Amino acid sequence: MSLRPQIAALTRRQRDIHACLEDREAQGLPPPSLDELCRAMGVSSRGSMHKHVQGLIEGGLVERMDGRHRGVRLRRESGEGPGRLPLLGRIAAGRPIEALSNPEPVEVPERLHGGGRCYALEVRGDSMVEEGILAGDWIVVESREHARNGEIVVALSDGEAATLKRIEQRPGVVVLHPANAALAPLEYSPERVQIQGVLVGQMRSYR
C-alpha cells in the first residue's frame, strides 16, 4: 500500500523531515541520528525533533534501527520490505566497470543485511576468488562513504569506474587489494577514490 496518503496528512515540519530522509537515502547516505537530523533541518531543540520523529514512527512512515546511534530511517515500502533489497547491477571484481543499473528487488535473508541501507550487486570477474567471491555470486553491500582498513568495499575511482576490492588506507594513498595472486593492487591518491559501500553478505546459486 502506498504511503503517500499518510504523507499528505503530516504537519509541514514532519513532511520536511520525511523529505530530508528521502534525500539522504537517494544519495546513499546512512540513516541519521537525531542530532544529525537537527543539524540538517536547522532545529535547535533535540526534544522538539524527537516529538516530530515520534509522530512519523507512530504514523508508520519511519522506524528506529534497533537502538543504533545512526538510528532513524524510512520504513520500507511493500516492494522493498524485510528480505528484499534492490539489485542495482553488476560489478566486475577483475576490472573496474560501472556498478549501477536499473534497480530491481532481490530476495536476501535479513541476517545478511548490514546496519544501514543495503543493496545487492552481482559479481563478474575473478579478482576476489581467494576470498571465496566468485563470478555469478550476489553480494550485499551496506551503503557507506567510509570503511575500516581490511574491509572489502565497492570503490569508485576517478568518479567513473566501480570495483570490488579489500581496502588499505595510508597517508597520501589508498590501495585496493585484489584476492588473486595473479593480479596487482591498485593504488590511488585519496581524492581519486570514493567508497560507495562495504561488503556485509554474500549469496550463491548452484543451479
Side-chain angles (χ1 to χ4, degrees), residues 50-125:
H50 180 270
K51 289 180 181 178
H52 291 309
V53 169
Q54 188 60 38
L56 290 167
I57 292 172
E58 291 172 358
L61 294 167
V62 306
E63 58 188 2
R64 296 194 185 279
M65 294 178 59
D66 301 325
R68 293 175 184 267
H69 170 66
R70 307 190 69 86
V72 183
R73 66 182 176 191
L74 296 174
R75 201 198 79 188
R76 297 182 181 95
E77 301 272 3
S78 58
E80 193 179 330
R84 295 175 70 84
L85 292 177
L87 177 63
L88 298 187
R90 297 182 175 91
I91 184 166
R95 59 183 179 84
I97 63 167
E98 176 60 43
L100 307 181
S101 64
N102 295 327
E104 57 181 89
V106 61
E107 295 288 342
V108 177
E110 284 194 84
R111 69 181 62 185
L112 297 184
H113 294 205
R117 183 170 182 266
C118 293
Y119 56 91
L121 294 171
E122 185 178 349
V123 174
R124 289 286 184 259

Side-chain angles (χ1 to χ4, degrees), residues 5-198:
Q6 294 163 263
I7 294 172
L10 299 176
T11 67
R12 179 177 178 180
R13 176 60 77 181
Q14 287 172 332
R15 285 198 299 272
D16 289 345
I17 293 169
H18 193 272
C20 178
L21 292 173
E22 286 185 319
D23 288 344
R24 287 180 63 93
E25 187 173 275
Q27 295 174 52
L29 297 176
S33 65
L34 280 181
D35 289 337
E36 289 170 325
L37 266 180
C38 286
R39 288 194 293 271
M41 303 296 301
V43 175
S44 58
S45 169
R46 195 174 187 276
S48 175
M49 177 60 73
H50 180 270
K51 289 180 181 178
H52 291 309
V53 169
Q54 188 60 38
L56 290 167
I57 292 172
E58 291 172 358
L61 294 167
V62 306
E63 58 188 2
R64 296 194 185 279
M65 294 178 59
D66 301 325
R68 293 175 184 267
H69 170 66
R70 307 190 69 86
V72 183
R73 66 182 176 191
L74 296 174
R75 201 198 79 188
R76 297 182 181 95
E77 301 272 3
S78 58
E80 193 179 330
R84 295 175 70 84
L85 292 177
L87 177 63
L88 298 187
R90 297 182 175 91
I91 184 166
R95 59 183 179 84
I97 63 167
E98 176 60 43
L100 307 181
S101 64
N102 295 327
E104 57 181 89
V106 61
E107 295 288 342
V108 177
E110 284 194 84
R111 69 181 62 185
L112 297 184
H113 294 205
R117 183 170 182 266
C118 293
Y119 56 91
L121 294 171
E122 185 178 349
V123 174
R124 289 286 184 259
D126 61 1
S127 81
M128 298 302 290
V129 293
E130 291 167 18
E131 292 284 356
I133 302 172
L134 309 180
D137 287 353
W138 292 281
I139 58 171
V140 180
V141 179
E142 181 180 333
S143 182
R144 276 201 252 149
E145 295 181 343
H146 58 87
R148 296 184 296 272
N149 277 343
E151 289 187 306
I152 297 176
V153 303
V154 174
L156 190 69
S157 59
D158 297 324
E160 296 179 352
T163 190
L164 184 70
K165 296 289 187 290
R166 191 174 293 281
I167 194 167
E168 178 187 1
Q169 300 162 101
R170 305 196 303 261
V173 64
V174 174
V175 186
L176 301 176
H177 292 276
N180 184 327
L183 302 175
L186 305 172
E187 294 191 7
Y188 300 94
S189 56
E191 66 272 12
R192 294 179 60 196
V193 178
Q194 178 186 353
I195 297 170
Q196 293 192 316
V198 175

